[in-house]
Amino acid sequence: MSFEFRHISRVPNNSLHLMLRVYRYVLPEVREQLNYWREIAERIPDEELQKQAIASMTSKQFHCQGGAVYAVANLPMRHVLIPLIVALQTISDYLDNLCDRSTSMDPDDFRMLHQAMLDAVDPAEPLHDYYAYRVEKEDGDYLNQLVKTCQASIRMLPSYSLVAKQVSHLVGLYCDLQVYKHIRHELREEALQTWWSKHESQYPTISWNEFAAATGSTLGMFMLFLAASDPELDTDTVNIIHAAYFPYICGLHILLDYLIDQEEDELGGDLNFCSYYENMDQTIERIALIVIEARNKANRLDHPAFHRMIIEGLLALYLSDPKVKEQKQVKQISRELMKGSPLTRLFFFINSVWIRKTS
């Protein structure tokens, strides 16, 4: 059964159509959702938790804006999709800050915190004590409310039962990554390699750092939420979506993020998956191959133009970042990756710069 959302015209098939919907619906409604969560965050009793909650929304709001683009493909369900995507992404960004910028390096703490994401995508799961291994605990019910918002939204998706397994799989991988990449520096690479050894046979065409990068993306989850908003969804379509997004579209998303952050991460001692390529030539070669694979996978989906626009939007968003200008090697890689479909990418470049300036 085709992924149609009843009327094909609901799914944007050109850049102008997509961006008009983004400006009219996505950006204002994401802003409304983030303002709501910011008001709750500002009432968090614990100073450290409050600091990280507000910081995550301030510096990473474009994650919510980008993720919510999937809602434009089914506007009548945006009242479910946008709150769901914003809430789950806000959990992700908040927990990333707690693991990366805060007071703990305890893997048990990281695992327990990320139980919130697993609970958020399972509406039958009870809440847990997410701060059990952390000194800071009093968040004024902030994290619980985010989890419950996700669960309530998921209950309104007519076909969620068909995507639940795949969503949980992607969330589980995401949580694993957050644990392994945030532990003590001398332990993290070995932990990531051991983790990869359990999955390597399933993904023979990619390397361990590319797999790890792919697990860090929430795009596959958001696409499956969109799919679940279609009451006529079928299992074959779900499997095609999952295979298309993971690892290539998801991998491209996070590799681009790491690509532009290489200099910053090196200075901060943060793990960067692009740093594991041997040299610039290999970096260009591997990311270019992943772009090709992502486009090929997109062409196998229903409404391929929509998914190709997601890919071109990722390239434009990350490669137009001001950080690129300061990094000679990244600028060279950027020129190579920006070849092809120049008009579409120019449109997204202009819009991505505008969105960044007004965020």
Side-chain angles (χ1 to χ4, degrees), residues 37 40-41 44 49 53 87-88 90-95 98 112-117 119-120 127-132 134 137-151:
W37 290 115
I40 296 175
I44 293 175
L49 297 181
L88 189 66
T90 299
I91 295 173
S92 167
D93 292 336
Y94 171 54
L95 299 185
L98 289 185
M112 197 67 221
L113 284 171
H114 282 87
Q115 182 64 41
M117 285 192 73
D119 294 349
L127 300 174
H128 291 81
D129 181 6
Y130 305 119
Y131 302 104
R134 175 167 285 260
K137 298 179 184 293
E138 299 301 322
D139 77 348
D141 212 37
Y142 175 68
L143 189 50
N144 283 347
Q145 287 193 52
L146 283 164
V147 171
K148 288 189 286 188
T149 295
C150 292
Q151 291 178 332

Side-chain angles (χ1 to χ4, degrees), residues 89-103:
Q89 187 62 55
T90 299
I91 295 173
S92 167
D93 292 336
Y94 171 54
L95 299 185
D96 186 59
N97 271 30
L98 289 185
C99 295
D100 198 27
R101 308 292 178 203
S102 195
T103 60

